Amino acid sequence: MGRTVYLNGEYVPEEEAKVSVFDRGFLFADAVYEVTSVHGGRLLDFDGHMTRLKRSLGALEIPFEVDTEAMLEIHREMVRVNAIDEGVVYLQISRGAADRSFMYPGEDVSPTIVLFTQTSEALKPKNPEKGISVVTAEDLRWGRRDIKTVQLLYPSMAKMEAAKSGADDAWLVEEGLITEGTSNNAFIVTRDGTIVTRELSNDILHGITRAAVLRFASETQLRFEERTFTPKEAREASEAFITSASNYVMPVVSIDGVQIGNGKPGPVALRLREIYIAESSKWAV
Ligand code: PMP
């Protein structure tokens, strides 16, 4: 605690940052967000996050022009004033505060922009040498998962259910096919060594880490396919892993209590993690 947060153009102590009770982010989950990882005090995949932010804002017609250079300055200042070496910068833009109505308010309402930081200790990352366990759960989210909105209640419920059953996370399943993890993209490595992850559509978030990992996989001549897969195929895979800005590449060692491969993090996942950290660090800003 004791952090400095950014609110609508000002850097303020977190206790002093106040948002209206009429903010549509609060009343309607009418807000989008990005989480950019900080490694060695520098931001990873920053441009990718800004590109997705623009897309999310456009999809919801939130009238906010993203100036990538200005955003970078704010992100950097947040990293600096909060002395973040390893952690994340969270950015949220809501449509703003207006009298409660299902209709979007007029142009006189300005978006609310908030940034705060979290250190790695606060995020409690899992140990990649140990990997994580997941259980499958029905995907009951809405149909526009490609828009990164703050409407995260179902993923939160699914993660709580997973924790109650002793697992670290849930992989969500729709019509018998895995969509993604509660807050990450899901991958398997088949017995013939092919990396498989679901193709992009409105059914999943277009992960920035997912895109980077697929790019690095193709640059290193690793075979991959973007297609759907079932929980059964995942349980029988030789490896499984997740990707996200805060977890990078994290091996999955069991699915629904079934050990994946030899029950230890697989070589492809660990290698991709290494490549992801090394390569994305080269372009960190
Ligand atoms: N899918 C979902 C549902 C997520 O919430 C996230 C992380 N916010 C991801 C995938 C991973 O996306 P990224 O690699 O951009 O963090």
Side-chain angles (χ1 to χ4, degrees), residues 33 35 49 52 141 148 180-185 205-210 243-246:
Y33 75 108
V35 177
H49 288 286
R52 185 173 61 191
R141 297 172 302 164
K148 197 165 168 65
E180 59 187 332
T182 58
S183 59
N184 44 68
N185 290 113
L205 185 77
H206 302 187
I208 303 303
T209 322
R210 172 193 181 281
T243 60
S244 76
S246 42

Side-chain angles (χ1 to χ4, degrees), residues 36-44 79 84-89 248:
T36 304
S37 139
V38 180
H39 179 56
R42 296 196 303 153
L43 298 148
L44 301 188
V79 170
I84 305 296
D85 188 43
E86 300 293 320
V88 298
V89 180
Y248 306 144

Side-chain angles (χ1 to χ4, degrees), residues 246-263:
S246 42
N247 281 291
Y248 306 144
V249 176
M250 182 61 66
V252 170
V253 294
S254 86
I255 302 175
D256 289 333
V258 176
Q259 171 178 310
I260 306 304
N262 63 4

